[in-house]
Amino acid sequence: MSSHNIRISVNEKTYRSTVDSRITLLDFLRNDLSLTGTHVGCEHGVCGACSILYDGTPVRSCSLLAIQADKRQITTVEGLCNADGSPGVLQKAFCDAHAMQCGYCTPGMLISAHALLEQNSNPSADEIKESIGGNLCRCTGYIQIIEAVQLASQRLRNSR
Amino acid sequence: MRKSKSTNLRYISKKRRVIEDERFVCGTGKFVQDIQLSDTKHIAIVQSPYAKANIISINSKPASELDGVHAVLTGAELANHTDPIRFGLNLPNVTWYPLAVNMVRYVGEWVAVVVADNPYLAEDAAELVEVNYEALDPIIDPEEAYTDSKRLVHPEHGSNILYEGHFCWGPVEEDFAKSDFSLSFRVRWGRSSTVPIETFGVVAEWDEGREMLEIWASIQMPNFVELLASAMRIPLNSVRLHQDVDVGGSYGVKRGIKHAIIVSYLARKLRNPIRLIEDRLINMSSGDAHGPDRIFDTNIAFNKDGKVNSLKIRALDDAGAYPGRGPFQLAKPISAIVGPYKINSVEYDAISVTTNKTGQVPVRGFGQSPTNYMLETAIDRVARHLNQRRLDIRIKNLIKNDEFPYLIPSGSSYDSGDYLGVLQKTLDRADYENLMKRRKNARIDGRLAGIGLATCLEPGGGNNIFEYLMNPSAEITTFTEGCEIKVDPDGLITGVMGTTSSGQGHETLVATIIGEELEFDPALIRVVHADSLNAPVTRSPVASRMAIMLGSAAAGAAQKIKAKALAIAAENLGRPIEKLEYAEGTVFDQINTSHNISWSEICFIAHKAYHKLPHGMEPGMRAHNVFQVPGGGQLPDTDQRVQIYPCFSFQVHIPYVEIDQHTGKVSILNYFVGHDCGTQINPDIVRGMVIGGLAHGVGAALYEKFQYLPDGQFLNATFADYLMPSAYEIPMVTDIEHCTPSPLTSHGQKGSGEGGYLGAPAAISSAVNDALAPRGLSICELPMRSSIIEGLLNNGSTSQ
């Protein structure tokens, strides 16, 4: 098994590590960096529970190797929190709209919705559906999630 | 029990944040995969490629010689050291071990497990385990399984029939004879499930010094600890199940008993913590994933004015190879066998057969969703037969407001309801007349458009007597739930519950009810999930029962705390209790309110100032209360009539759909759902349950089915093959609230976890069949995949 030295920025903190080439980025984040907010869902790139931002773009961390993240900027759900660890605007909106039940798909949903709001400050319901279309949720039926993203976008616009 | 007036409520029924949510949005939930014990070893599983085969030999040597591999466990070894898993049914000659012994009985069955330093290595090693099989002829079709006496899944059992029960409630033959019409039909509910995004996981550690098993599991299961201890041959109080793990969705399916036995055995043997986290293939092929798979043959008798008189129902359910509590899903429907309708008599034949498929587990609604699909199809068929509106047949037969409590033929007394009120409210909101115009215009334009209409009853909080109905050796007549409240010397309040949660918001439920009763902000009340050795009396968070059972238990415990506070205050204020008043923890003299004692003083006295306690009072400030299932405690009468569930919620579903004629794709353009679960403890939680359940119903109606080939090969163990609704497939649902309190619970609450799932498949089927009706076509099988509808439209055939 070949090992590689990598340097990754995760949530604006730089980590240097030696990893086996076959370790997924998901396992690396969870096991090596103890960032357990990113969840293991299907491990074949369908459910989106493991979504993270990879140089600002939402991707599935189950379908990337840790070595592919060398010299990249990664953001996980923990990185969406304020500096003091409290929930950010989008996360608060998810609480206010009760946009979850079991909370398992939530980190991936937040990552997808965050990426949308970075690009589009006033998304329509259809645009929100498109952005979370690759994130499966079995609890909510999505409606409260869509409402939460709308609430967050409104709050973000009001605060600008 | 008193009924609270909602106007006097501070916290209940108010829009308030769900306590659990903040940890989930920050990524700080604690799921079983997040539990890291030092030197944990990991498991990979070797699965059977055959639906039925004899195991000739297993060569584990190449796997065990790999560096970092610690053990290869086979069925023979495990069976030597553990007892078989107990079934719900009385099946003395059906043996179930976590790992196959001598014979495999479904594709994916676990044959061996490998223990290694990490999961990657474990999977490498699992591929090196060599198993030689002698393939045998499996039985896959449930109707063939029912009659075949040669191809037996469990030869020692002597047949493939696990259960066959005949129930007759009321004068069925007379009612059929005097009815103007009868019609019969068949519907089939496909093998689907609720498939949580978190797979099942379990971590176990053997504590040598204490001779105790410490276990963390993402479960939602009654009797888990009992079954585990029994299989492990250790006393019940040697198992400590840690229930403070967040469970990433369950909806009934997270059972995990075979997983737990394997890791427990290995943890004790190897003296290492052992962890088994299913991957998605394991989860869907051979974990606890598959739900009911049911064929109904129904005969319904009715008059020309639309009055329904009687039903004859035969339900044949395919339980797969090793059903635990799965077959009991034939019995829950007995509690609402006539739905919300006045039907005088019912005959019910319930049959559970075993086949060479993955074993069935309980799924949201516990068999009620398939049954409701059948029942609502029956009502639609009556309407079509009489050329009357589906709505009018329902209005004609629905139980009226002044008829509660209403006793149905199978022995349930429905607690309360306003079925016609919910129906009318939903019709108004949907603008039903306008919806019909829209359908008409779409049809004029040549489009296939349909309106669905379905009602459903959601029984909640059951007493488990269904088990006795199917297995009289299990004389269980209740299914209690307890709650403990501890108030510390500083006056801070902790509610203790005894089970895991998988998204139902139980911490919010308990905090809200305690806060309401004791007049404290629920946000300041901590709620913990005790481990199984510390837990209040509990069964499990199934059957839409926690608002009813845990909620009422919490209210009772809070009332005990309040009573103690008043007694301490009476002693210290020198006034009788009836002259005192409690407000937000402070106790006042009614006449002279400046004569009072604060909550913190009361709590200090309770814990530390023994000399100020009333004589003989136990120090401390804690209360444990167990809520008994209302109407429980009875065995069935000689006609097998019995109250199974105490509370009955009600929903009306009205979807509007259009079907693409070329592809058969069903688009749900609008969806209206009226729901009445009595008093809502937290409206956001209820709304989430209703819509989320409905989304599961959309999946069951249109997309989801575990697919087997005739030779038993299993086809869709991935999310790419087993299709689940995404945000695109779920319509924007308009939900309409209604409140008819239950007279049986602390605040009038009923269950709300299942109704969405019970109503949606029936309603979507109703809509699709309405859309197909102008073409003279109908479809009587779920899921109604686009390929099936396309075949029907273009070839008149339902073959895929």
Side-chain angles (χ1 to χ4, degrees):
Chain A
M1 191 69 51
S2 63
S3 296
H4 300 263
N5 295 323
I6 58 171
R7 192 189 80 226
I8 308 185
S9 160
V10 182
N11 303 331
E12 298 179 352
K13 198 169 155 190
T14 302
Y15 298 85
R16 288 167 203 280
S17 189
T18 305
V19 292
D20 282 353
S21 51
R22 68 171 172 175
I23 301 295
T24 64
L25 179 57
L26 170 62
D27 283 345
F28 176 76
L29 292 169
R30 291 181 51 83
N31 301 334
D32 293 45
L33 306 188
S34 296
L35 292 168
T36 55
T38 304
H39 289 157
V40 188
C42 67
E43 293 177 281
H44 53 275
V46 182
C47 76
C50 65
S51 298
I52 52 145
L53 295 176
Y54 180 88
D55 287 343
T57 306
V59 298
R60 319 295 207 199
S61 63
C62 74
S63 305
L64 278 178
L65 298 172
I67 53 175
Q68 291 175 286
D70 186 25
K71 302 185 185 66
R72 302 289 179 168
Q73 309 274 332
I74 305 296
T75 305
T76 68
V77 67
E78 291 91 345
L80 302 183
C81 293
N82 298 323
D84 65 355
S86 63
V89 174
L90 177 63
Q91 291 159 308
K92 261 195 199 122
F94 265 58
C95 294
D96 289 333
H98 187 45
M100 74 208 81
Q101 286 170 35
C102 77
Y104 201 77
C105 74
T106 309
M109 285 286 177
L110 287 163
I111 290 290
S112 295
H114 177 86
L116 170 72
L117 294 177
E118 290 283 294
Q119 303 290 321
N120 181 346
S121 63
N122 191 11
S124 66
D126 279 346
E127 286 168 330
I128 296 169
K129 279 189 184 184
E130 194 182 335
S131 80
I132 62 164
N135 292 81
L136 291 173
C137 170
R138 291 296 271 177
C139 291
T140 63
Y142 306 101
I143 289 173
Q144 283 153 301
I145 296 173
I146 294 165
E147 290 168 352
V149 180
Q150 287 170 328
L151 181 63
S153 83
Q154 191 184 31
R155 287 179 178 170
L156 285 166
R157 285 196 312 277
N158 290 344
S159 68
R160 272 171 197 161
Chain B
M1 280 265 159
R2 71 193 160 79
K3 243 187 279 174
S4 295
K5 296 187 195 84
S6 60
T7 46
N8 294 335
L9 296 171
R10 293 166 184 239
Y11 306 115
I12 287 176
S13 298
K14 301 290 186 284
K15 181 173 168 58
R16 292 176 55 81
R17 260 204 191 179
V18 174
I19 291 169
E20 290 88 337
D21 287 356
E22 186 160 320
R23 66 176 182 262
F24 295 139
V25 298
C26 293
T28 48
K30 206 41 112 195
F31 296 88
V32 73
Q33 289 186 54
D34 305 333
I35 290 162
Q36 299 283 357
L37 305 178
S38 64
D39 209 18
T40 298
K41 305 298 178 205
H42 302 257
I43 279 182
I45 296 165
V46 180
Q47 295 182 273
S48 164
Y50 295 102
K52 188 179 184 187
N54 288 320
I55 300 171
I56 304 300
S57 65
I58 299 176
N59 179 12
S60 55
K61 203 157 172 277
S64 44
E65 284 173 352
L66 212 62
D67 261 0
V69 170
H70 300 277
V72 178
L73 174 66
T74 63
E77 180 187 337
L78 189 63
N80 263 335
H81 296 94
T82 58
D83 284 338
I85 304 169
R86 297 199 308 239
F87 287 101
L89 293 172
N90 188 19
L91 299 167
N93 297 312
V94 179
T95 308
W96 180 21
Y97 282 106
L99 299 175
V101 181
N102 299 327
M103 181 190 273
V104 290
R105 293 183 171 84
Y106 61 95
V107 166
E109 183 168 359
W110 300 359
V111 176
V113 301
V114 174
V115 184
D117 284 339
N118 65 60
Y120 291 73
L121 202 55
E123 286 190 24
D124 290 346
E127 286 184 9
L128 300 178
V129 176
E130 294 164 2
V131 187
N132 286 319
Y133 298 95
E134 175 197 15
L136 300 168
D137 192 12
I139 188 121
I140 302 302
D141 180 82
E143 290 186 287
E144 286 177 22
Y146 181 64
T147 52
D148 199 315
S149 57
K150 294 204 175 63
R151 286 179 297 163
L152 300 179
V153 179
H154 297 276
E156 306 80 5
H157 181 59
S159 103
N160 290 318
I161 301 169
L162 298 174
Y163 174 80
E164 184 162 23
H166 175 76
F167 301 87
C168 188
W169 302 290
V172 172
E173 294 305 334
E174 279 171 47
D175 286 341
F176 265 78
K178 70 185 186 199
S179 295
D180 297 329
F181 303 104
S182 73
L183 63 81
S184 59
F185 64 92
R186 166 174 280 208
V187 289
R188 182 159 191 167
W189 175 276
R191 173 174 284 249
S192 61
S193 181
T194 43
V195 193
I197 302 298
E198 182 204 45
T199 60
F200 179 81
V202 55
V203 180
E205 180 175 36
W206 181 255
D207 183 331
E208 182 62 20
R210 294 188 172 86
E211 294 195 344
M212 264 179 74
L213 180 68
E214 306 278 354
I215 187 160
W216 295 257
S218 57
I219 56 155
Q220 179 198 13
M221 185 190 187
N223 310 320
F224 177 83
V225 180
E226 288 99 315
L227 290 174
L228 179 57
S230 148
M232 286 291 292
R233 302 172 181 161
I234 57 178
L236 196 51
N237 62 2
S238 295
V239 180
R240 188 194 334 245
L241 174 68
H242 297 262
Q243 302 187 112
D244 53 352
V245 289
D246 292 312
V247 178
S250 173
Y251 334 101
V253 303
K254 290 244 175 90
R255 303 277 150 169
I257 186 64
K258 64 185 179 208
H259 317 56
I261 294 166
I262 290 169
V263 295
S264 300
Y265 169 75
L266 288 167
R268 188 172 61 182
K269 178 184 174 182
L270 301 176
R271 299 290 192 262
N272 271 115
I274 305 286
R275 168 181 155 113
L276 192 171
I277 309 291
E278 291 175 339
D279 66 20
R280 191 50 68 180
L281 288 165
I282 295 285
N283 172 258
M284 294 180 74
S285 66
S286 55
D288 299 318
H290 297 197
D293 180 352
R294 203 170 285 185
I295 300 166
F296 290 99
D297 290 295
T298 299
N299 203 334
I300 182 165
F302 51 100
N303 294 342
K304 54 180 181 256
D305 65 354
K307 171 85 187 79
V308 175
N309 298 317
S310 188
L311 283 165
K312 293 180 185 175
I313 303 162
R314 178 182 186 267
L316 176 69
D317 199 47
D318 180 348
Y322 304 98
R325 281 174 78 82
F328 292 140
Q329 295 180 97
L330 283 163
K332 174 166 184 173
I334 291 170
S335 67
I337 196 75
V338 295
Y341 305 114
K342 289 184 280 186
I343 299 174
N344 192 50
S345 58
V346 183
E347 184 178 280
Y348 182 49
D349 287 287
I351 304 156
S352 175
V353 294
T354 178
T355 62
N356 291 108
K357 296 180 190 147
T358 299
Q360 182 189 105
V361 291
V363 165
R364 197 167 202 161
F366 209 52
Q368 195 73 16
S369 196
T371 306
N372 200 57
Y373 161 58
M374 175 276 297
L375 197 57
E376 290 297 294
T377 301
I379 302 294
D380 279 5
R381 298 269 174 137
V382 168
R384 190 185 298 176
H385 186 90
L386 295 172
N387 202 22
Q388 293 186 24
R389 297 203 308 175
R390 290 168 295 171
L391 176 61
D392 294 334
I393 301 296
R394 287 179 171 80
I395 291 171
K396 176 109 198 154
N397 290 286
L398 281 172
I399 298 162
K400 309 278 186 298
N401 290 19
D402 57 3
E403 294 172 312
F404 291 95
Y406 183 86
L407 183 66
I408 68 166
S410 56
S412 282
S413 174
Y414 294 167
D415 56 337
S416 66
D418 179 12
Y419 303 160
L420 288 162
V422 180
L423 178 62
Q424 192 56 52
K425 230 175 178 176
T426 313
L427 292 168
D428 290 348
R429 188 67 180 276
D431 195 353
Y432 197 66
E433 294 299 320
N434 191 43
L435 219 48
M436 285 194 294
K437 268 186 222 147
R438 197 170 150 200
R439 177 181 63 183
K440 189 177 165 194
N441 290 336
R443 285 176 177 176
I444 289 168
D445 288 348
R447 302 203 302 277
L448 289 170
I451 299 170
L453 180 61
T455 65
C456 67
L457 268 197
E458 177 182 2
N463 56 29
N464 204 65
I465 195 70
F466 57 72
E467 190 165 340
Y468 177 86
L469 282 174
M470 291 180 73
N471 176 7
S473 69
E475 213 172 271
I476 302 165
T477 58
T478 192
F479 208 67
T480 56
E481 197 66 27
C483 182
E484 187 174 9
I485 298 176
K486 302 177 179 182
V487 185
D488 62 34
D490 290 349
L492 296 171
I493 301 167
T494 302
V496 185
M497 57 177 290
T499 76
T500 52
S501 297
S502 41
Q504 306 95 327
H506 298 141
E507 293 167 30
T508 302
L509 164 73
V510 170
T512 304
I513 287 185
I514 294 174
E516 188 69 48
E517 292 290 339
L518 295 180
E519 304 173 26
F520 281 94
D521 183 350
L524 304 175
I525 297 172
R526 183 168 297 280
V527 178
V528 297
H529 302 253
D531 67 55
S532 59
L533 294 178
N534 277 320
V537 170
T538 182
R539 296 313 301 162
S540 77
V542 297
S544 285
R545 68 188 291 270
M546 292 307 255
I548 296 167
M549 298 299 300
L550 178 61
S552 296
Q559 285 152 16
K560 288 183 185 177
I561 293 285
K562 198 172 178 177
K564 185 160 189 174
L566 278 164
I568 293 170
E571 174 78 12
N572 287 277
L573 294 174
R575 299 285 291 159
I577 287 176
E578 56 275 15
K579 302 285 180 198
L580 298 176
E581 198 155 317
Y582 175 100
E584 299 178 9
T586 302
V587 179
F588 300 86
D589 182 338
Q590 283 170 353
I591 296 158
N592 174 13
T593 55
S594 64
H595 189 46
N596 62 53
I597 180 165
S598 72
W599 178 250
S600 58
E601 283 175 85
I602 292 170
C603 296
F604 180 85
I605 292 168
H607 282 275
K608 298 182 179 175
Y610 190 56
H611 60 291
K612 292 185 179 176
L613 274 187
H615 181 69
M617 181 181 269
E618 187 180 77
M621 197 70 164
R622 56 200 291 170
H624 182 219
N625 185 60
V626 180
F627 190 66
Q628 153 64 3
V629 182
Q634 303 288 321
L635 289 173
D637 70 11
T638 49
D639 290 329
Q640 306 200 76
R641 286 175 225 259
V642 67
Q643 182 93 33
I644 309 177
Y645 291 77
C647 299
F648 294 82
S649 301
F650 178 73
Q651 294 191 358
V652 172
H653 291 238
I654 304 178
Y656 175 82
V657 308
E658 292 192 4
I659 302 173
D660 184 307
Q661 334 214 9
H662 302 294
T663 64
K665 180 180 157 59
V666 176
S667 297
I668 304 170
L669 300 179
N670 297 90
Y671 204 118
F672 301 90
V673 56
H675 59 94
D676 181 355
C677 61
T679 305
Q680 300 185 24
I681 306 300
N682 181 300
D684 277 352
I685 290 179
V686 170
R687 181 161 179 256
M689 286 286 155
V690 170
I691 298 172
L694 190 158
H696 269 148
V698 171
L702 297 176
Y703 307 104
E704 298 181 38
K705 186 180 177 185
F706 294 109
Q707 200 88 41
Y708 283 87
L709 289 178
D711 68 356
Q713 278 305 322
F714 178 50
L715 296 181
N716 51 350
T718 76
F719 280 2
D721 305 308
Y722 179 91
L723 300 181
M724 298 183 292
S726 72
Y728 290 111
E729 281 74 42
I730 303 300
M732 292 310 283
V733 175
T734 305
D735 54 311
I736 300 110
E737 297 174 358
H738 195 78
C739 177
T740 314
S742 173
L744 304 174
T745 57
S746 64
H747 296 86
Q749 69 272 30
K750 302 182 181 185
S752 69
E754 300 173 331
Y757 183 61
L758 306 186
I764 296 166
S765 166
S766 173
V768 168
N769 278 298
D770 185 46
L772 295 174
R775 297 280 182 91
L777 299 170
S778 71
I779 182 165
C780 44
E781 181 172 351
L782 301 186
M784 302 173 291
R785 286 181 174 150
S786 54
S787 55
I788 299 175
I789 295 173
E790 190 271 336
L792 196 60
L793 284 169
N794 297 320
N795 317 313
S797 101
T798 57
S799 61
Q800 280 179 281

